[in-house]
Amino acid sequence: MDLCSVPLELLPLEGLRLGNQLLPLSASKAQAEALLGPTESANNRAWYYAENELRLDFDQSDRLEFIEFLGGLEGRLQPIIYGLPAFQTGAGELIEELTRCNDGPVDDSEQGYSYAFLNISVGVYRSILPQDVRELIAEMEENGIPTHNNPDVERDRRRAEHWETIGIGVAGYYQ
């Protein structure tokens, strides 16, 4: 299956809808392979697809326990969750929607870099925050490095305002 040519919808606690087909959480490796084809690469219990933008994690019984998109804002795979494009939506807006849908405890112990929504088993991650970008700009300016229209600064700003990864797991995955 060409993952770039079908809509990809994360369905928390359920699985991944690929067009009109469903890859359910708790699927066997054989079911995943029947739908997606052979893995492009594998590592221990993780299978990768679409040039490592999609990761499937299997438990000790070889059942799918976690589905994660790793491409972020500039990736080829752009999943949707609760009707929102996961990587294109601003980080704050997506957190608000996931918090509303979770309706319960959220693990925000990584102070903005990641969140785990415990009731819906959804996790998001980013490696840089807006405050990190502001600190970087201040440091660059102190050292006489131009920041206006600096492509590296602009790239970091975009990355800080969006999530780099999003994943869904089986019930209780983050507990």
Side-chain angles (χ1 to χ4, degrees), residues 22-34:
L22 179 69
L23 176 62
L25 287 165
S26 78
S28 67
K29 285 184 173 180
Q31 287 172 298
E33 188 169 26

Side-chain angles (χ1 to χ4, degrees), residues 16-78:
L16 173 63
R17 182 175 293 133
L18 305 104
N20 61 0
Q21 299 182 63
L22 179 69
L23 176 62
L25 287 165
S26 78
S28 67
K29 285 184 173 180
Q31 287 172 298
E33 188 169 26
L35 182 59
L36 298 173
T39 180
E40 293 172 3
S41 65
N43 169 344
N44 203 5
R45 289 195 181 102
W47 284 12
Y48 294 89
Y49 289 91
E51 298 176 18
N52 297 325
E53 286 192 31
L54 174 62
R55 176 182 168 146
L56 305 180
D57 287 352
F58 295 89
D59 64 17
Q60 294 176 337
S61 302
D62 288 337
R63 293 290 182 180
L64 182 59
E65 69 176 349
F66 191 69
I67 299 167
E68 185 174 32
F69 285 88
L70 306 165
L73 187 61
E74 297 177 12
R76 294 179 310 126
L77 302 182
Q78 295 294 317

